[in-house]
Amino acid sequence: MGKFNLYKIPLKSLPEGTQNYEYHLDDQFFKNIDGPEVQRGSVDVALSVKRTGGTFELKFAINGIILIPCDRCLDNMDFEVATNEHLYVKFGSEYSEENDDVVIVPEAEGEINIAWFLYEFIALTIPLKHVHPAGKCNKTMSMKLKTHSARSADDGDEDDNGIFDDESDADDMTNEETDPRWDELKKLIDNN
């Protein structure tokens, strides 16, 4: 039995109307799918498949928690997944994806494997920047990042996204002397 046989929907043999399926995606699912964004998680999927003639409407309700690396400290962090997705499937002569939500499957096969679609729906919920809440990052990594961060004196009012957990540490960093050459460049920029 293949790794993803559980996720095959036998479209050709489905009766008219709506059929419901439930799936639980665990660490083994993410390990088997071997996608770059998510390697671990616990996600529940409720799927309803509505057949109308040769057209199938798949509605996914996806909820759970995945583990992804924090962009700042690289430790794993929990990220809540909650999304609803649609996919429309039609029969044709060969497999093709018409657009983001329409898929053509060969009528001779008469089935679709939704495993990769599930993974993609989950991966698309991950924001471009994903970091722990302020103060929750790995303290050792935060200190190393603070030590090696280059900050100018006028950066004091910018949001540091929790890199500096202690306000006084941030003030100490901004009060350091700057290179006089940078000060001269700043004067040129300010005068324009």
Side-chain angles (χ1 to χ4, degrees):
M1 186 166 153
K3 294 178 190 177
F4 301 111
N5 283 345
L6 177 64
Y7 305 99
K8 287 183 181 177
I9 308 293
L11 300 174
K12 203 170 194 178
S13 64
L14 287 180
E16 291 280 330
T18 303
Q19 306 297 317
N20 295 311
Y21 300 87
E22 291 185 5
Y23 301 97
H24 178 73
L25 311 179
D26 57 7
D27 292 347
Q28 190 62 46
F29 171 84
F30 293 107
K31 181 181 175 189
N32 289 341
I33 205 94
D34 198 26
E37 290 89 5
V38 183
Q39 278 84 42
R40 296 180 61 205
S42 178
V43 179
D44 292 314
V45 178
L47 167 64
S48 70
V49 180
K50 181 179 178 183
R51 180 176 187 169
T52 310
T55 304
F56 303 86
E57 180 183 11
L58 284 68
K59 292 182 182 179
F60 300 87
I62 303 170
N63 295 292
I65 301 289
I66 57 174
L67 264 61
I68 55 177
C70 173
D71 286 341
R72 188 180 308 126
C73 72
L74 304 179
D75 279 358
N76 281 336
M77 60 180 269
D78 289 344
F79 179 76
E80 187 174 340
V81 174
T83 186
N84 294 306
E85 301 291 339
H86 283 77
L87 187 65
Y88 297 93
V89 182
K90 299 177 184 178
F91 289 130
S93 58
E94 61 184 35
Y95 182 88
S96 69
E97 292 186 24
E98 295 288 305
N99 58 40
D100 289 342
D101 61 353
V102 178
V103 176
I104 307 296
V105 296
E107 190 168 3
E109 291 179 17
E111 65 183 19
I112 185 169
N113 192 319
I114 60 166
W116 185 253
F117 291 105
L118 293 174
Y119 178 80
E120 283 186 334
F121 292 150
I122 293 167
L124 288 172
T125 66
I126 301 171
L128 290 176
K129 182 177 181 180
H130 40 281
V131 295
H132 284 106
K136 299 290 184 187
C137 275
N138 179 316
K139 299 293 184 197
T140 305
M141 186 61 84
S142 292
M143 291 303 293
K144 287 181 181 183
L145 183 61
K146 183 173 26 173
T147 302
H148 297 290
S149 292
R151 295 178 52 94
S152 65
D154 62 348
D155 283 347
D157 57 346
E158 284 186 25
D159 181 20
D160 60 21
N161 295 318
I163 293 173
F164 300 106
D165 293 327
D166 185 353
E167 186 98 13
S168 64
D169 288 343
D171 290 341
D172 291 344
M173 293 279 300
T174 59
N175 290 334
E176 292 178 5
E177 289 192 29
T178 59
D179 187 330
R181 295 174 289 184
W182 288 116
D183 293 336
E184 292 301 317
L185 286 173
K186 287 180 193 175
K187 287 179 190 175
L188 287 173
I189 291 171
D190 291 340
N191 289 334
N192 287 331

